[in-house]
Each structure stands twice: as structure tokens, then as C-alpha cells.
Amino acid sequence: MTRSLGNRLTWYLLIGVLAVSGLDSYLSLSRTRMTLLDHLRGEVAAISRTIRATLAVAGDDAPERYFAQLAAGISGFENILGLVFYDRQGQVITLSASLRERQLPAVDVRTVIESRTPVEGVFHEGNAQRYYRVEPVVNTQGEGVAAFLIVEDFPFFTREFRSRAVQSLLTTLILLAVLAVIVSVTIRQSVTVPLRAFARRLEAIGRGDFSQRLQLSRADEIGQLAHEFDRMCAQLEAARGALMAESEEKLRLERALRHSEKLAAIGQLASRIAHEIGTPLNVIQGRAEQLLQRGTLQEKEKDLLCIIISQIERITSFIRQLLTLARRPEPQMRLLQLNEIVRRVWEVIGERSHTPEVQVTLFLAEDLPPIWGDPDQLQQVLLNLSVNALQAVGTAGRVSIETRLQPNGDGIGQEAVELVVADTGPGIRPEDLPHLFEPFFTTKSAAGGSGLGLAISREIVRNHRGDIRVESQPGHGTRFIVAVPTLRSQTVHRPKARVEEAVPPSAAKEDGYDR
């Protein structure tokens, strides 16, 4: 269990204040005691001088005659316990009735008479303290002839001393209580709370959250510490962001390298296939077309020749897609409007959605800014995605094509025009999503597609400095989002290309487009 720093500081300060206050109270009570004793001593001395003056006025060398009367009179004074008279030999002659049963101080009275020097002090009678004074009596010749003892009680002294001691103790306790509250609140607000916040921020940093800030506007050491802490967090956050960006860039380059190596291998394979298979296929297709033109063939023979020709065209289309994927043809960039491409493709796929149960809808945003791209290649991307969507919904469902403007397009970090192709088909399994854009990967049956359509589409979109992504859940359909930067958002150098007005693209062939 950790002890609070604020509580320890409070206790240390209170202990120090208590020590200083205790020492001050002790010294103050000591001064009070000395003052009260001086007051008591002065009072007894005044009574002694009064008695000596009375005897001196009498002018009698035999003062013993007045002792009994003086003892009775002085005993009536407040706090005076009594009076004792001694002869020249130091023997008691007369004493007050109140002192007959009491203990008297042990004083050498004869020495006091001979030296004619008064003696005073404090003596104890049981648990009580008494103050006494022995005063010599001198005759007209200046000789000591007698002495008297005055004994005074301490009730006033004791009450006054106790009263001041209690007052000092109460003052010290109140001072400690007030200081405890003030110091505790001050330390809590100035030290404990900022340090606890500092500890919480450090724990968050330990968990990897560098966005924490103290933001204390104070001109003391805590404020300086908070400022330096915030500056350190900002530097750590910036360093972490730079490190993550560098790591992501390295990962991207590594993936691009692996992808380039894969495409190079595909290119070699495609060139080999085109050389070894393409020529014989062209010969076979030519001979089949010549046979088909003969008028003596039966219908069954014509059907078989048509099947041969269609399969050869299918193989040729596959080889062409391989070459397209491997060679990465340079896009012929020009200014164009994405909505125009969508309308051209819609004219093509509209014929395929001839069943009443399949509905194709367009949602085209108005006043879209122009983009910089190759209309034929972008049409190929849109046609591929649209055909995939129609195949996904089958004989019943909805396909929608939407265009929209995004101020900060996802995946490219700048203003972009987005193309969204959505369907209500069965969706894609989560384990298939990471491999969807890989060459030769397909979610269709073995005879349903080559697995090159989406790979080619991604290459085309990347050549346009854009991004393509997919959102899908099983049973909830699929959405493909293509983001292409607008012309006004592109600040990097454009690739050299022929700039001309967009022209209507030729009708796209639909063979080979698959997911």
C-alpha cells in the first residue's frame, strides 16, 4: 500500500509546526511563571517594607511589643498565610494562629539578623508550594534585633499559570487544525492531484497511448514539469507516427516487390503460353471457321464447330488477361467525367439484367469535379465489378452503382471521386476477403472464372493513384468502393500522357470478367 506524498508532506509540516509551537509555548509559560513569581515577590517585599516602616516609625528598640498585634493584622491579607516573629537568637516569639499547625521553611534566621539581609524563596509543604520571605528588624543604632517571616500561598499564581497554559495549548491546537486544513488542501491541489494525473498519463504511455497531455497553466515547478511532459509526449507521438509510417512504407514496398516478382513470373508464363499455345489455337480456330462456312454441314456439325470456336476464344481471352496483368499497359490519361463512364457501362449491363427480378439502379452525384484517367481502363474496372455484381445476385436481387465526392477519400488521403458498386448477393466469406485481389483467386466454381478480373482492376486503379476496397458480410451483400483522386487534388507530377477530351469508349467485351 503506497502512502500519499501529500499526506506525508502534511504530517512533516505539522510535526515541525508542533515542535516550534511547543517550544514557543514552553518558553512563553516559563516567562509567565517568572513574571508571576516576580509579581508575587514584589507583593511580599511590599508587605515586608510596610512592616519595617511601621516598626521604624514606632522608634522603639523593643519591637517585640508590637509583634502580636502585627501578626494578627497581617494574617488577614489576601493570600498571606501568616506571620512569624523571631528574637535576636532566632527563636520564635510570636506567630499567626494559621501557622501553628503548618510546616515552616528551614531558614537560618540568626544569620539573617546578623547580616541584616533578607532571604526569600519557595518551599514545599506536602504537595503545595509556598512562598516565604525572612526580613530582619533593625533598631535605631542599625543593629539587627529581631526578624519576621511572611508566608504567602500560591492560589493566584497557580490559577493564572494554569489559565495561561490552557490558553497556550488551545491556541496551539487551533493553529495546528487550521494549518492542517490549509496545508492539506493546498498540497492536494498543488502537488497530489497533479502528480496523480502525471502517474495516470505515464501508465497510459506505458500502454502505448502517446496522446495524453497534462495541460497545466502554472508558473511553478509543477507547471514546468507538466510543460516538459506534454512536450515529451508530443515528441514521442510524432516519433511513433513517423516510425509507424516508415514501417508501413517498408511493408508496402515489400509487398509491391513481392507483387512485382509474382507479376514477372506471370508475365514469363503468359509469354510462353501465348507463343506455344496461341499460334496452334489460331490455326485451329481458322480451320474451324472455314469448315463452318461450308454449306453442306449438318446442324449438329455446325453446333460442334461453334463450340470449338467459343472455347478457343475463351482460352485466347484468358491469355490476353494474363498478358494485360503482367505487362501493365501505360494508361492513356486525359480529363474525364466519371459519370459519363458509368452511363456507358450501364448501357452495356442493362441488357444483361433482362429479368424483372434483377434491378439495376444508378445514384450519380451532380457536379462532380473531373478526374485524370484512362477512360477505357476505368470502364474495364467498372464493367468487371458490375458483371460480378450481376452474377452474384443471380436471377433475383438489386445492383446499385453510385458516384460521390469525398473530401478525404479513404485509402488515398486526399479529395477523391468514389465509385460504389453494391449488390444484394450472398456476400463473401471473411476468410476469402484478404485474398480477393490475388491473381487466380476466385470465389466462383471451377468453370466460372479465371480469377484475374479483380487483380487487373486493382492494378488499373493503382495506376490512377487510387484505391479499391471491398466491404462484405455473408448474407448481406457486397460493396466495392473505388476512389480516384480529383484533378484539383493532385499535386504530384502527372505521368506523361496525351491530353484530349473524353470520347465515348467502345463497347466492352464481357468475356473473362470475374471476381
Side-chain angles (χ1 to χ4, degrees):
M1 180 179 179
T2 58
R3 297 178 60 187
S4 171
L5 177 61
N7 292 337
R8 283 188 290 174
L9 290 176
T10 302
W11 278 110
Y12 294 156
L13 183 59
L14 291 180
I15 290 174
V17 171
L18 180 62
V20 173
S21 299
L23 179 61
D24 179 72
S25 298
Y26 173 76
L27 296 177
S28 177
L29 291 176
S30 298
R31 290 192 299 269
T32 300
R33 184 175 184 277
M34 295 302 298
T35 301
L36 293 175
L37 284 176
D38 290 341
H39 177 73
L40 187 62
R41 187 181 298 112
E43 181 180 355
V44 174
I47 295 175
S48 299
R49 288 193 296 270
T50 301
I51 295 175
R52 289 183 60 181
T54 301
L55 294 175
V57 170
D60 196 342
D61 290 337
E64 296 85 357
R65 293 182 299 172
Y66 307 102
F67 285 170
Q69 185 179 358
L70 289 173
I74 296 300
S75 298
F77 288 6
E78 183 179 6
N79 297 327
I80 299 298
L81 292 180
L83 197 63
V84 180
F85 285 95
Y86 300 91
D87 58 13
R88 188 188 296 266
Q89 303 302 321
Q91 300 296 321
V92 176
I93 302 176
T94 304
L95 74 165
S96 302
S98 58
L99 295 179
R100 289 176 182 173
E101 302 297 333
R102 293 183 179 275
Q103 177 183 350
L104 298 178
V107 180
D108 189 357
V109 179
R110 186 172 181 179
T111 303
V112 173
I113 296 173
E114 293 177 354
S115 63
R116 301 187 300 279
T117 302
V119 176
E120 59 184 350
V122 178
F123 73 99
H124 293 272
E125 182 184 3
N127 295 326
Q129 285 186 326
R130 308 283 187 252
Y131 187 82
Y132 70 92
R133 180 183 177 89
V134 180
E135 187 78 23
V137 178
V138 183
N139 58 15
T140 56
Q141 287 78 28
E143 298 176 350
V145 295
F148 59 89
L149 168 67
I150 300 177
V151 180
E152 185 168 2
D153 197 2
F154 271 11
F156 172 77
F157 175 85
T158 303
R159 289 195 305 271
E160 186 68 17
F161 185 77
R162 288 179 178 176
S163 175
R164 297 192 182 186
V166 171
Q167 181 181 359
S168 177
L169 179 60
L170 290 177
T171 302
T172 301
L173 293 178
I174 293 175
L175 176 63
L176 287 176
V178 173
L179 283 178
V181 173
I182 295 176
V183 170
S184 177
V185 173
T186 302
I187 291 180
R188 176 179 175 81
Q189 297 298 325
S190 302
V191 178
T192 305
V193 172
L195 288 182
R196 287 179 179 174
F198 184 70
R200 289 194 297 269
R201 302 306 190 276
L202 287 179
E203 291 178 359
I205 290 177
R207 295 192 299 269
D209 183 7
F210 295 98
S211 62
Q212 301 293 323
R213 299 293 186 272
L214 288 175
Q215 297 179 346
L216 295 180
S217 56
R218 294 170 49 170
D220 54 7
E221 291 80 359
I222 298 293
Q224 183 179 2
L225 177 62
H227 175 72
E228 294 298 326
F229 175 81
D230 291 345
R231 189 167 65 89
M232 179 194 69
C233 288
Q235 293 176 351
L236 288 175
E237 187 175 14
R240 184 189 184 190
L243 183 61
M244 292 181 64
E246 182 179 357
S247 300
E248 291 177 357
E249 180 65 16
K250 289 181 179 179
L251 183 60
R252 187 189 66 80
L253 293 176
E254 184 179 352
R255 290 175 178 172
L257 179 60
R258 291 199 301 266
H259 187 66
S260 299
E261 293 174 349
K262 185 185 298 184
L263 291 181
I266 294 175
Q268 294 177 0
L269 176 63
S271 299
R272 187 71 175 177
I273 292 176
H275 177 72
E276 298 294 339
I277 300 179
T279 301
L281 286 178
N282 290 333
V283 174
I284 296 173
Q285 183 177 2
R287 295 296 183 267
E289 290 176 350
Q290 288 179 0
L291 292 174
L292 189 61
Q293 292 176 359
R294 293 183 179 181
T296 60
L297 295 178
Q298 298 180 2
E299 290 298 326
K300 184 177 182 180
E301 293 173 342
K302 290 182 180 180
D303 292 339
L304 292 176
L305 289 174
C306 289
I307 292 174
I308 292 174
I309 294 173
S310 64
Q311 292 302 315
I312 291 174
E313 290 178 349
R314 184 173 181 272
I315 296 173
T316 303
S317 175
F318 176 74
I319 296 174
R320 185 167 59 250
Q321 290 187 54
L322 278 178
L323 293 174
T324 300
L325 178 63
R327 292 174 181 174
R328 295 187 184 180
E330 186 72 21
Q332 301 300 313
M333 310 296 280
R334 64 193 67 178
L335 294 177
L336 55 89
Q337 290 287 340
L338 186 61
N339 285 344
E340 295 297 327
I341 296 178
V342 174
R343 292 188 179 97
R344 298 297 185 273
V345 174
W346 184 79
E347 293 176 359
V348 175
I349 66 173
E351 300 177 357
R352 300 195 53 162
S353 59
H354 58 276
T355 60
E357 290 79 11
V358 177
Q359 181 182 5
V360 180
T361 55
L362 298 182
F363 301 96
L364 304 183
E366 299 294 334
D367 301 327
L368 286 180
I371 62 175
W372 186 256
D374 186 324
D376 290 332
Q377 291 189 1
L378 291 178
Q379 177 178 285
Q380 182 181 358
V381 173
L382 178 56
L383 187 58
N384 181 36
L385 298 178
S386 302
V387 172
N388 284 342
L390 288 172
Q391 293 176 352
V393 298
T395 59
R398 295 190 306 274
V399 175
S400 64
I401 303 176
E402 177 187 0
T403 60
R404 61 193 183 190
L405 178 64
Q406 290 292 341
N408 188 15
D410 294 339
I412 61 176
Q414 56 183 315
E415 184 185 60
V417 174
E418 287 189 348
L419 172 67
V420 183
V421 179
D423 63 68
T424 58
I428 304 173
R429 296 181 302 177
E431 59 269 22
D432 292 336
L433 289 176
H435 310 287
L436 207 58
F437 295 100
E438 295 179 358
F440 306 112
F441 180 84
T442 179
T443 59
K444 302 176 183 178
S445 62
S450 61
L452 294 175
L454 290 180
I456 294 175
S457 298
R458 183 175 65 172
E459 290 302 313
I460 293 175
V461 173
R462 286 182 173 179
N463 287 338
H464 286 73
R465 294 193 291 276
D467 180 70
I468 181 172
R469 67 184 189 277
V470 60
E471 299 174 356
S472 181
Q473 291 183 357
H476 294 82
T478 303
R479 296 173 73 242
F480 281 90
I481 300 98
V482 177
V484 180
T486 61
L487 178 64
R488 62 193 179 193
S489 69
Q490 299 186 47
T491 57
V492 297
H493 179 67
R494 301 189 187 100
K496 294 182 179 179
R498 181 166 53 91
V499 179
E500 59 185 52
E501 293 298 324
V503 296
S506 59
K509 297 183 179 180
E510 300 180 29
D511 53 317
Y513 293 97
D514 50 63
R515 186 175 314 204

